[in-house]
Amino acid sequence: MSDNLAASPLLSVENLKVHFAIRAGVFQRQVGEVKAVDGVSFSIGAGETLGLVGESGCGKSTTGLALMGLVKATDGRIAMQGAEDVTAMRSVPRAHRRRMQIIFQDPFSSLNPRQRIRDIIRAPLDIHGIGTTEERRAEVAKLISLVGLRPDQADNFPHQFSGGQRQRIGIARALALKPDIIVCDEPVSALDVSVQAQILNLLADLQRELGLSYLFISHDLGVVEHVSHRVAVMYLGRIVETGPKKAIFSKPLHPYSELLLRSAPSHDPHRRHQFSAVSDDIPSATKKPSGCAFHTRCPLATDICRRIEPQLEVKADGQFVACHHR
Ligand SMILES: Nc1ncnc2c1ncn2[C@@H]1O[C@H](COP(=O)(O)OP(=O)(O)OP(=O)(O)O)[C@@H](O)[C@H]1O
Ligand code: SF4
Ligand SMILES: [Mg+2]
């Protein structure tokens, strides 16, 4: 395993691959493959936030879903401290599932519109048979106040809440099983900037109080710089650079990271910077270029780049880069 590790990792991911078959025709024959995640390794320490950034379609969400066991990994190894190793996530043990939860960009789509929020938040406790009815009721009340909602809102339905409040409900539900890690997949991308700040502050408070770790997925550089301790930059299913947040933002070494940062004029969290600002032709995960997948866009590309895929190597304190020329 490469050494791009947190000091004492809570979660270790090694060579994770998720390949989707592309099928066509009446017989649904496989005509190709999408290498959505293609050999990703990283770790997250207790109480740490790893920001995962990259353009649309680079495999960020698929990475998060594979960790959760919500899509099947093709290959790789996912291990949690103190838990049995989980190989290829083919059968996710319950203990593991409880320790990792996910929140999404659009909580509304994952909240049952016909359920009151007290029932939504209690559902994980019911499913896992945790506590007595009375204990569950008390736990739900605690969670509602922990995420900054009022007790009298417990009987309301999702449509009675604003976008930010719905994200708070999603967070409360994710916290019900007392996870160690939360995968946050674009948790504030659908919210107004002022509401974004409130949700980011809530996540930071919860991290401090509960010692939570986050895999924070976003294509918004400002937000990632604001929340992360370490950052991993993804390009077409691979991590091309990872390191401490400060190093990545002040001295990116991979030509792709440089391109992203150059295309984001300011890192002010109150301004949104979309990776779509990178306007070159973007090769897709279905037709990955040979060697270094970035060579079709890289100003430094040479022959070796077209032939051999570079591996992550340490270049500075905790900063790992996959590039033949850096
Ligand atoms: N179930 C699926 N079947 C086939 N291809 C898929 C599936 N899910 C994702 N993909 C493809 O895998 C690649 C990675 O998708 P993914 O959603 O992980 O990207 P992302 O980095 O989260 O992008 P975005 O920033 O737009 O959310 C894309 O090419 C996508 O089209
Ligand atoms: S390996 Fe080559 S093509 Fe890839 S980023 Fe480095 S210089 Fe560019
Ligand atoms: Mg996504």
Side-chain angles (χ1 to χ4, degrees):
M1 178 166 189
S2 53
D3 311 313
N4 53 331
L5 292 172
S8 154
L10 180 68
L11 171 76
S12 305
V13 177
E14 209 176 318
N15 198 30
L16 181 69
K17 293 186 183 173
V18 182
H19 295 176
F20 296 109
I22 306 172
R23 297 179 190 281
V26 235
F27 299 110
Q28 285 292 292
R29 274 224 312 276
Q30 185 170 345
V31 293
E33 200 175 36
V34 185
K35 295 183 175 174
V37 179
D38 201 23
V40 157
S41 301
F42 62 85
S43 67
I44 305 180
E48 185 180 48
T49 299
L50 177 70
L52 186 59
V53 299
E55 285 158 321
S56 184
C58 72
K60 305 181 295 295
S61 294
T62 307
T63 301
L65 293 172
L67 293 183
M68 297 297 303
L70 296 172
V71 300
K72 201 167 133 190
T74 310
D75 199 3
R77 184 174 162 276
I78 298 165
M80 289 210 34
Q81 201 181 63
E84 228 176 286
D85 286 3
V86 185
T87 307
M89 299 301 280
R90 283 196 187 88
S91 59
V92 188
R94 264 192 167 194
H96 177 95
R97 232 181 294 162
R98 277 174 55 172
R99 294 176 65 192
M100 206 183 302
Q101 296 294 317
I102 189 163
I103 55 175
F104 297 101
Q105 173 173 349
D106 175 15
F108 200 43
S109 64
S110 66
L111 302 177
N112 184 339
R114 283 180 296 276
Q115 269 191 324
R116 297 179 193 280
I117 71 149
R118 70 159 83 255
D119 298 327
I120 291 174
I121 298 170
R122 207 193 53 225
L125 300 172
D126 293 342
I127 291 165
H128 289 266
I130 293 169
T132 60
T133 309
E134 198 40 56
E135 284 164 347
R136 285 179 208 176
R137 194 173 297 140
E139 188 58 28
V140 169
K142 221 162 79 188
L143 287 163
I144 284 174
S145 89
L146 190 63
V147 298
L149 294 169
R150 295 193 317 270
D152 61 284
Q153 292 174 307
D155 283 326
N156 293 354
F157 293 93
H159 73 266
Q160 295 173 284
F161 293 88
S162 67
Q165 287 173 326
R166 281 182 210 139
Q167 194 55 284
R168 289 175 193 269
I169 299 166
I171 293 168
R173 181 177 56 181
L175 289 174
L177 296 175
K178 303 196 183 341
D180 297 320
I181 297 188
I182 299 183
V183 174
C184 307
D185 191 353
E186 308 272 6
V188 297
S189 303
L191 304 174
D192 291 344
V193 172
S194 61
V195 182
Q196 284 191 6
Q198 292 166 16
I199 297 296
L200 294 176
N201 287 340
L202 171 64
L203 289 171
D205 290 347
L206 293 171
Q207 181 165 61
R208 243 190 332 271
E209 282 168 38
L210 307 172
L212 286 169
S213 305
Y214 297 130
L215 175 65
F216 195 98
I217 296 171
S218 179
H219 55 258
D220 189 321
L221 276 178
V223 167
V224 167
E225 185 176 19
H226 187 65
V227 302
S228 306
H229 299 107
R230 285 187 304 128
V231 172
V233 180
M234 226 176 146
Y235 186 74
L236 288 186
R238 304 270 292 187
I239 290 175
V240 296
E241 177 161 9
T242 178
K245 179 251 302 270
K246 227 176 173 168
I248 301 286
F249 279 91
S250 63
K251 205 159 71 62
L253 292 175
H254 195 282
Y256 176 60
S257 315
E258 285 179 343
L259 179 69
L260 292 180
L261 288 162
R262 244 203 339 267
S263 62
S266 152
H267 308 146
D268 182 340
H270 300 293
R271 289 179 58 185
R272 309 189 95 206
H273 312 294
Q274 308 293 334
F275 278 125
S276 55
V278 181
S279 60
D280 315 13
D281 276 348
I282 298 162
S284 80
T286 41
K287 276 192 236 141
K288 262 184 78 170
S290 60
C292 172
F294 189 56
H295 82 249
T296 55
R297 299 167 73 190
C298 181
L300 305 182
T302 60
D303 185 47
I304 189 179
C305 306
R306 287 179 276 277
R307 291 186 292 107
I308 299 170
E309 185 159 42
Q311 303 300 315
L312 280 175
E313 283 175 23
V314 66
K315 299 289 169 177
D317 200 16
Q319 195 170 359
F320 291 76
V321 183
C323 173
H324 293 303
H325 298 308
R326 284 292 162 86

